[in-house]
Amino acid sequence: VQTRQSVVVSAVPAAFTPRVNDGKTLSVAQIGGEIVLGGSFTSVSASDGSGTISQQGVVAFDATSGALSGSFRPSVNGTVDTVAPGPKPGEVYVGGAFSQVNGTTTRLALLDINSGNIVAGWNAPNFNSEVDKALLDRGRLFVGGTFTTAGNADRGGFASLKPSTGKLTS
């Protein structure tokens, strides 16, 4: 249910929000004190336009100050369509049209918000096409997209995974 607003909501939600300089923001998630953006961008700047960084598809910033994270800099080779809180504090799922994260072949990764590294023990199945959405609910990670297979299993655009390992469930 939408909450009734007494005024028109501002087009700029916070003056300290970093600038996405190109492309689009497609997904937003709060992970502890950080906000994670996923999208088709390749460049982000501080809110005042200074401190431009080259960062493809995913970036994190402080939820209170807007400061860009200096340590969350995963290397993603394409668009990030979905970001979602992971199973433990400080973890975030990223999925999309990319094919690699930090040199590892995958379309869905569980990342450490502090380092940008893939969480130890995470090994998602190979999706044969884009992952559009990931959602953690009731002890399962639900994944939707344009894929037809996950690993060697026919999945027709929908799959369920174990949240901490990425193992395909039935």
Side-chain angles (χ1 to χ4, degrees), residues 114-127:
N114 294 311
S115 67
N117 294 329
I118 296 174
V119 172
W122 176 259
N123 189 22
N126 179 39
F127 294 94

Side-chain angles (χ1 to χ4, degrees), residues 11-170:
V12 180
F16 61 77
T17 303
R19 294 182 185 180
V20 171
N21 298 321
D22 59 354
K24 297 178 183 177
T25 298
L26 301 172
S27 187
V28 180
Q30 183 161 1
I31 312 300
E34 297 287 311
I35 303 294
V36 179
L37 305 178
S40 61
F41 53 84
T42 61
S43 172
V44 181
S45 300
S47 62
D48 64 2
S50 66
T52 300
I53 61 167
S54 294
Q55 184 64 34
Q56 184 165 356
V58 64
V59 69
F61 64 92
D62 185 274
T64 304
S65 71
L68 291 165
S69 172
S71 59
F72 183 78
R73 299 281 173 85
S75 174
V76 179
N77 70 341
T79 299
V80 174
D81 293 305
T82 186
V83 295
K88 295 179 184 171
E91 295 177 347
V92 62
Y93 295 108
V94 297
F98 55 82
S99 61
Q100 289 191 342
V101 177
N102 299 334
T104 298
T105 300
T106 188
R107 293 184 193 271
L108 178 67
L110 177 60
L111 302 177
D112 180 294
I113 193 70
N114 294 311
S115 67
N117 294 329
I118 296 174
V119 172
W122 176 259
N123 189 22
N126 179 39
F127 294 94
N128 69 336
S129 190
E130 189 170 341
V131 170
D132 294 322
K133 185 70 176 172
L135 174 68
L136 182 61
D137 188 45
R138 300 177 194 200
R140 289 192 182 162
L141 177 64
F142 296 99
V143 181
T146 57
F147 57 87
T148 57
T149 62
N152 295 323
D154 291 335
R155 285 297 190 256
F158 184 74
S160 172
L161 309 176
K162 290 190 175 187
S164 295
T165 65
K167 183 178 179 184
L168 194 62
T169 65
S170 58

